[in-house]
Each structure stands twice: as structure tokens, then as C-alpha cells.
Amino acid sequence: MTVHTEIRGGVLIVTIDRPEVKNAIDTATAQAIADAMDQLDREPELVASVLTGAGGTFCAGMDLKAFLAGERPSIDGRGFAGIAQTPPVKPVIAAVEGHAIAGGFEIVLACDLVVASETAVFGLPEVKRGLLAGGGGLLRLPERVPYALGLEWALTGDLVTAEQAREAGLISRLTPKGDALGVAVGLAERIAKNGPLAVRGTKEIWTRARDWSNDERFERMWEIYEPIRSSEDAREGATAFREKRAPVWKGR
């Protein structure tokens, strides 16, 4: 298997497991990640996910040998690596050790939060090969870091250290070597304790609001807000607070 999954509480942990090729993405791996993201979206008991790589490396991008053999590391509907074009509707945290470059960086940018160790290295080096970062990196990087800084990274193709990425605001947690997965899972478990409808709605508003005009933003927000406000979970949250107990979510 090129991808392993584990469920811990309401968290789906997804590990790319091809360390012999620095977790590069071939068709089978892309399909396995897409299947995991479909599982995350489909199963109501899952609230969040952590995506990581085995062997001290996150992902080195597309498997060039597989590409030259005619493979396509993209999945219809989900895009490169089964996530880059259409991420799941629930939050995904990237847990990064070592290199996350080219398509690997584009996978990171498709995730909602980034936890990285001090060993992490990021970059879009495609221009050095006469190519473009076609897996969404050129679309998402300007949304995640200051415009001019991200453009410099993309135009030079230079690698970026974890400290530089943190200073740019890309990383939410920086950890010692080997600790990225544990910290990311802990963060995901904190998220998973909250109301699943509220978590999903929060991500939806946060990611879609950038496309809303000033005139429509509150109206569009309320379209998402009202069904959640009227849900059983919202009532349960208020009741649990009043009764000083932990809420029991039903996802409806």
C-alpha cells in the first residue's frame, strides 16, 4: 500500500508511504489519497484529517519515472495527488517533516493548516526545469503568504526553510524534528472535539468568503450559518454548556 490511514477519535490520519522515492506521487498514490479524502467527507464521525509523509519526508512531488511511463498523478474531480484541485470540505492539517517541494508543496497549500518541524523545506522549483507549478501552487500561494514574497519564491524556484515559512505566516506550528505529526494530531483532536457541523461550516465560510463581493458576503454567510444555528447540535451545545457537561454531537 502506498498510503496508510488510521482513525483516532474523529481524526483521519493519512500517511503517504513511499519513502524510497521521497513519497513522490504516482497514479496509485493519488487515487489512495483521493479515496481517503472521500472517506473524510463521507463519514460523519470524522471531523478533521492530518496528512503526512513517511520516512522523514513529506513529499517530493510527482513521481517522474511514473510520469515518463505514461502515468497521470491526478484524479478526476480531486486533481493532483487526489487533493490539490478539490480539497475535502472538512479541515486537513499538513504535518511536514523534510522536503515538501514541487507537487509536495502544492499538497501542503491544499491543506488548511500547516504544522512543520524545523527540518521542513518548501518550494516550487518548477521554473528551474522550464515548467509551471500546475497543481494549484501558483493559485494558492498568493492567498497564504504576502504577495511579493510568494511571487519571489515562485519566480526563483528557490527552496524556503521552515523558519522562513513561519515568518511568512504559512506555518501555524513549528516543532522540533520528529514532532510534526504528534503536534498536528493533537491540534486535529482539539478541532474534532467541536461540533462537526460548525467545524465544516467554519471552513466553508473561511475558504469561500474571499470570492464573495462586499454586497453579498453577509447574505452568503447567513446561508451557511442558519442551518447550523437551527441544528440539533447547536441546541446540544447550549444545553451542555448550561448543564456543565461535555456535548454529545450527532452531526445533525
Side-chain angles (χ1 to χ4, degrees):
M1 295 178 60
T2 60
V3 172
H4 295 282
T5 61
E6 173 191 352
I7 295 175
R8 194 179 303 177
V11 178
L12 178 66
I13 304 170
V14 181
T15 304
I16 307 169
D17 193 8
R18 304 187 74 214
E20 70 282 1
V21 291
K22 299 184 185 295
N23 298 320
I25 305 298
D26 60 4
T27 301
T29 306
Q31 185 61 64
I33 296 173
D35 291 344
M37 297 302 102
D38 289 344
Q39 179 185 4
L40 175 64
D41 278 346
R42 180 178 65 249
E43 297 186 6
E45 65 269 22
L46 297 176
V47 182
S49 179
V50 172
L51 179 58
T52 193
T57 296
F58 183 79
C59 176
M62 179 173 60
D63 186 327
L64 294 179
K65 289 184 179 179
F67 172 74
L68 291 173
E71 291 195 24
R72 181 172 176 266
S74 296
I75 304 301
D76 289 344
R78 288 284 188 193
F80 174 74
I83 188 174
Q85 179 179 331
T86 309
V89 298
K90 299 175 185 177
V92 181
I93 302 172
V96 184
E97 300 274 354
H99 281 69
I101 59 174
F105 191 19
E106 292 178 306
I107 295 172
V108 169
L109 292 170
C111 296
D112 301 289
L113 297 174
V114 182
V115 173
S117 84
E118 297 165 342
T119 69
V121 179
F122 306 88
L124 297 175
E126 284 85 348
V127 291
K128 293 180 180 291
R129 305 167 192 155
L131 297 171
L132 296 177
L138 299 180
L139 302 175
R140 290 198 171 98
L141 188 57
E143 300 170 348
R144 304 293 287 271
V145 304
Y147 178 90
L149 186 59
L151 183 58
E152 179 183 323
W153 295 356
L155 289 175
T156 63
D158 291 344
L159 299 184
V160 177
T161 67
E163 184 60 37
Q164 289 173 313
R166 182 177 70 166
E167 291 176 357
L170 177 66
I171 295 172
S172 59
R173 303 285 182 89
L174 187 63
T175 76
K177 180 180 179 180
D179 288 353
L181 179 58
V183 172
V185 171
L187 179 57
E189 288 175 334
R190 288 176 58 195
I191 293 170
K193 290 180 180 179
N194 297 320
L197 296 179
V199 168
R200 178 172 172 168
T202 295
K203 172 175 174 174
E204 184 177 6
I205 292 170
W206 195 272
T207 56
R208 293 179 61 188
R210 65 174 68 98
D211 298 322
W212 298 339
S213 70
N214 242 5
D215 291 338
E216 67 178 347
R217 57 203 304 248
F218 271 88
E219 180 181 352
R220 298 292 295 274
M221 182 191 71
W222 285 111
E223 290 173 358
I224 299 168
Y225 176 88
E226 280 298 340
I228 296 173
R229 180 180 180 274
S230 304
S231 68
E232 291 183 37
D233 275 0
R235 189 167 186 82
E236 166 63 10
T239 301
F241 178 79
R242 184 186 64 196
E243 297 177 355
K244 298 181 180 180
R245 60 172 175 81
V248 180
W249 308 117
K250 296 181 179 179
R252 61 178 187 265

